[in-house]
Amino acid sequence: MRQPAVSRRSVCYVSSDSCSICSSPLVGKIAKLPTFSRHSAVDLKVIHPITYSMARALTFRRAAGAMGLLEEESPNDSLTVMIQVMNRFLLERLSSDFKQILPHSLDFDRTLATAGLTSIRCVKCLSETVRPGGTYVNEMVYPSKHAMKAQTRGTLPSFSQILKASVERENQARAWCDKCRRYQSLATRKTVQNVPDVLMINAAVNSLEAKQFWATPGWLPEEIGIIVEGGQFFCYEGEDLKLHLQRGIHYIKVYEIIGVVADIISGEHQASHLVSLVNVALSASEPQPSSQWHLFNDFLVKNVSKDEALRFVPSWKVPSVLAFQVKAGSNAVDDSWKDELDTSILYHDFSYSRRQETGEYRLLSPQNEPPREGTHVAIDAEFVALQQEEIEIKADGSRETIRPSRLGLARVSVLRGSGLEEGRPFIDDYIIITEPVVDYLTAFSGIQAGDLDPTRSRHIVVPLKVAYKKLWLLLNLGCVFVGHGLPKDFRTINIHVPKRQVIDTVDLFFIRARQRKLSLRFLAWFLLKEEIQTDTHDSIEDARTALRLYRKYQEFLDAGIFDAMLADIYAKGREVNYKVPSALKAEAAGAANYLGEGLGGGRDTPPMLRDGAGTPRPSTPVRRAAVLREPPASSGDGGGGGGSSSGQQVTPQSQGQNPWTSAKGSYFGSPLR
C-alpha cells in the first residue's frame, strides 16, 4: 500500500490490548479523547507509529481491499482518491472500536462526527423516512459546468458557500419505496444537528470546475464560522464572519485550518506523491505569536510560510484532505493520559522461547528501579533485511531505484544508565518476524538463522508489538536514550524521540568543521582502550560502549580538557585513517593473501572449500547481481565508515533539492510511489 508522509509518533486509543486495525501495542486506559494532533487522518502517524504495519494490517481486512486501499488491487487509482477513502475508513473504524470499549461515551462523536438526520422522501408518493445520518468526513461538491456558466462573470462561490451546499446537498437516486412497492426516485437530504470540534473535509478536486476554485488565490480561508440552528447549517468567512462575531446574536463556532494533505505532481513523466502540511503552532502548550507551518515530505521536514502552505496550483499541487479545528481548542494539550500508563510489561518476561538463556539480562525492579522522567538508559538495535534494494541500470549508465530496501527490527537491547547495576540490560528482546528474511546481515547485526524462531532460539523472543510497547513506555515516561547513531535506529524502527531525550555519542565526539563523524569502534579503541565488533556486532556491547563513552565525555567536561581530547581523537584518526589498527592489519593481510595467491604464489583459482566432514570440494567465485545492493547495516557503527567521504548524511537541502519533489528510493521522497 502507498502511504502518506508521516511526521510524529502517537497512540491508537482503541483497546487495552491492541488496535483492531493495526495490532499496535496500546498503553493505559482512555481518559479523555485527545485533541486533533493525536487523532487526525491528516497526520496518519497518529493512527499508527509504523507505516508498514498499517499497510500489512490492511491486507487482512476485506473492506480495505473492496474500498481500493491496497495498491496491488487498485494500481490505477489516484493517490488523492486513495487518501480520501483512507480518511473515511480510518475514522469510521476508530469510532466503531471506541464504542466497543466505552459504549456510552459520546467523546469520539463529539470530537469528530457531524451529527444529523437523513430524510429520504419518495418523489412519487411523497412518503418520508427519517433516520440518523452522522458522518466523520464531509465531501466537497462543486457546481456543475452549466451552473458555473450561470454565475455572474468574475464571481465564484466562496469556500463557505460550497461547504454549506456540500453538507446540506440533496441527492436523487432510484431505490425501493416500501409504500409504492416498487423502485422509485428517492430524494435524500441531510439535516445537521451538531458540528464537531474537528471538521475533516475531503476536497474532492476531480473536475476542471473544481480546479478553477482552488486556482483562485486566497480561496481557502484560514478561519470559518459555523452556525447550526433549526436543523440548518450556515457557514461564514471573512467580513461576514467578523460581522456575526460582533453582533453576537447567534452561537457561532469558529474553526481554523490546521492541516492539509496535498497531491504533488512532480513532472509529466513522474508519478505523483502526497505531502502533509501542518500548523504545529496550534499543538504547542502555549500560544505562539504566529503560525508555524511545516511541510512533511516523507522524512524531509521543512518550515514553509503560511502563504506557501495554503496556496494551490492545480497543475502541480492539489488539495486532498483538509482539517479544521475549533479555535477554542488550540494550544489545549491534554497529557493527563501519561499519568495512567500501565508499565507492568517492563517488569515481566513475555518471552515465547522454549529454551531461553537470559545471560546477564535482569528485569527492572518496580520498587527500586521504576523509570521516570530523566532516567538514563543505553540502547542499541539490530536489523535484518526483509527486502533488498533493486536497481535498474539505464543505457546512459545512470541508476534508478526500482524497489528500495526494507529492514526489520530483529533485536533491541536497553541497559540501565545509572545505579549500582549501570550497564546491565533490562531489555534484550529478539523479535519474531513473520515475513521471509532475505538476509540476516550477520556480520553487522550478529543475528543468525534460528535466533528469531521461538522453537529454536535460546534468546528472549517476543512479538514486535511487545518490544515496541516497551520502547513506547520508556519514551513517554521521559527516559533519556544514550547510544551511538540513534537517529538511524529510531528512523528504521519508525519511532520519533524528541531531541531532548537523546544523547548521541556520534554528536558528542564530533567537530563539525572536520566533516567526519567517528565510528563507535574507533572511539572505543582510542578512549576506552578496548576493541569491539571484532567478529560481529552485539547490541548489548554497543549500547554499553556508548554509555561508557558518555561517561568519558562527562569526565572530560568536568576536567576542562574535552576540546583538547577531541582534537587528539581527530589527530589520531587522521593518522590511522579513522580505523582501528587491528582492522587495518586484517585488511592488509587479506589483500596480501589475495595478491600472493593470485600473483606471487602462482595460484589463479580460489582455494578448495571443505564441507562439514572436512572433505575438499570445488568452489566457484560468486558474482553478485548488478541490480541488487545490500541494505544499509545497523547503525551501531555510527556512520563512521560508510556513505560519503565526509561521514555526513547527504540531505536534499545540502543538494539543493526541491523539498516538494519525491526522491524515489531514498529516505527523503514520499513512500507512496
Side-chain angles (χ1 to χ4, degrees), residues 213-240:
F213 287 93
W214 291 100
T216 305
W219 189 73
L220 176 65
E222 295 179 50
E223 294 183 0
I224 58 173
I226 295 176
I227 298 174
V228 176
E229 199 170 275
Q232 290 187 292
F233 177 96
F234 302 94
C235 188
Y236 303 96
E237 63 181 82
E239 294 300 324
D240 290 339

Side-chain angles (χ1 to χ4, degrees), residues 52 384-390 401-408 433 435-441 628-632 665:
Y52 172 70
V384 295
L386 304 179
Q387 177 177 284
Q388 286 184 321
E389 187 176 48
E390 184 176 344
T401 301
I402 303 301
R403 185 180 64 179
S405 64
R406 181 165 55 84
L407 302 180
I433 296 181
E435 300 178 72
V437 176
V438 300
D439 193 340
Y440 285 94
L441 304 174
L628 292 178
R629 281 206 311 231
E630 290 292 332

Side-chain angles (χ1 to χ4, degrees), residues 5-8 276 280 293-304 496 652-653 659 667-668:
V6 294
S7 56
R8 295 173 293 175
S276 298
V280 299
W293 284 91
H294 283 63
L295 164 70
F296 295 88
N297 185 2
D298 196 4
F299 282 95
L300 171 63
V301 180
K302 184 179 184 297
N303 292 327
V304 295
H496 172 73
Q653 295 95 319
Y667 281 115
F668 299 100

